[in-house]
Amino acid sequence: ETGVTQSPTHLIKTRGQQVTLRCSSQSGHNTVSWYQQALGQGPQFIFQYYREEENGRGNFPPRFSGLQFPNYSSELNVNALELDDSALYLCASSLGEGEKLFFGSGTQLSVL
Amino acid sequence: DQQVKQNSPSLSVQEGRISILNCDYTNSMFDYFLWYKKYPAEGPTFLISISSIKDKNEDGRFTVFLNKSAKHLSLHIVPSQPGDSAVYFCAARNDYKLSFGAGTTVTVRA
């Protein structure tokens, strides 16, 4: 059984660019959540996808968007990158909404 | 707004002694509380949880206590081991989303 995998592990972008982060869920999990962890802070909820539909969103602007695919893998897209978007982006999968989350190792995004 | 707070950014404890980590919350709608542990370059891993209808849950060396009237929970690790050195996050669930504290870095000294 494979765990949650994220790619890439590190990424450097410049302000104004767009970025796509990818996540493969743990086997059998149909729910994916994305979190942003800024330096020195705890993870903050971005949104959750359940059966390919966004079913919850945190306090993030619309330039943060996502997709979930039929195999339950997921993408996080961020447009018009800002310096404050520099953070560790964590993907987590679960067996259903509200169930225990299993996290990937994250993608460290640096915006210059 | 910060609904979950961990006021101690760090804790140093001697091997074999008890580690006590604290967490306060403000939202009465939280129905589940969890502790996650994080090593550098890894994602958080689930440690232990407690439902809002309970006041204690124990799993081996780890015990979580919940005081709903004070909106406070704590994690006790006894005895502390060198492998316990990590960042510990307190999290609280409301519906589908988790709200996390900023974390407490635990260092276990030999």
Side-chain angles (χ1 to χ4, degrees):
Chain A
E1 179 183 277
T2 55
V4 178
T5 56
Q6 292 185 243
S7 63
T9 53
H10 294 84
L11 201 51
I12 300 174
K13 291 284 189 178
T14 55
R15 197 169 46 181
Q17 284 189 310
Q18 178 266 342
V19 69
T20 298
L21 310 182
R22 295 180 173 82
C23 173
S24 292
S25 305
Q26 184 159 319
S27 177
H29 287 187
N30 59 14
T31 304
V32 172
S33 304
W34 286 90
Y35 286 78
Q36 179 197 65
Q37 186 181 5
L39 194 63
Q41 298 181 25
Q44 284 208 319
F45 176 74
I46 302 175
F47 42 56
Q48 182 182 85
Y49 279 81
Y50 173 67
R51 292 186 176 178
E52 303 175 58
E53 298 277 337
E54 183 183 299
N55 75 334
R57 190 177 184 91
N59 191 23
F60 280 82
R63 59 188 184 83
F64 284 78
S65 63
L67 280 174
Q68 187 182 29
F69 300 101
N71 66 354
Y72 303 132
S73 66
S74 177
E75 284 182 359
L76 165 65
N77 298 292
V78 187
N79 293 322
L81 282 166
E82 300 177 0
L83 298 179
D84 284 349
D85 296 335
S86 296
L88 178 67
Y89 288 85
L90 294 163
C91 169
S93 72
S94 57
L95 275 170
E97 304 162 273
E99 295 294 321
K100 188 167 72 182
L101 297 181
F102 292 81
F103 283 88
S105 299
T107 294
Q108 185 66 53
L109 173 65
S110 298
V111 182
L112 306 178
Chain B
D1 71 42
Q2 193 84 14
Q3 297 187 56
V4 178
K5 288 186 182 175
Q6 293 176 257
N7 292 318
S8 298
S10 63
L11 173 70
S12 180
V13 63
Q14 193 156 16
E15 182 178 0
R17 298 289 185 100
I18 185 171
S19 294
I20 299 176
L21 291 80
N22 294 302
C23 179
D24 296 297
Y25 64 95
T26 56
N27 190 343
S28 301
M29 299 302 292
F30 290 139
D31 65 347
Y32 224 78
F33 301 90
L34 307 92
W35 286 93
Y36 279 82
K37 176 178 175 180
K38 186 179 186 301
Y39 294 117
E42 294 183 14
T45 55
F46 170 77
L47 198 55
I48 192 169
S49 63
I50 187 168
S51 164
S52 60
I53 62 172
K54 307 245 171 152
D55 55 21
K56 178 182 174 181
N57 187 28
E58 194 171 347
D59 183 3
R61 297 186 297 116
F62 304 92
T63 304
V64 57
F65 296 91
L66 175 63
N67 182 334
K68 279 188 71 176
S69 60
K71 293 191 172 71
H72 177 85
L73 67 155
S74 62
L75 173 68
H76 292 206
I77 307 172
V78 56
S80 299
Q81 299 174 354
D84 296 331
S85 294
V87 179
Y88 290 77
F89 291 101
C90 169
R93 189 183 76 182
N94 179 11
D95 204 2
Y96 49 81
K97 88 175 200 186
L98 291 184
S99 297
F100 285 83
T104 297
T105 301
V106 173
T107 303
V108 180
R109 310 185 309 271

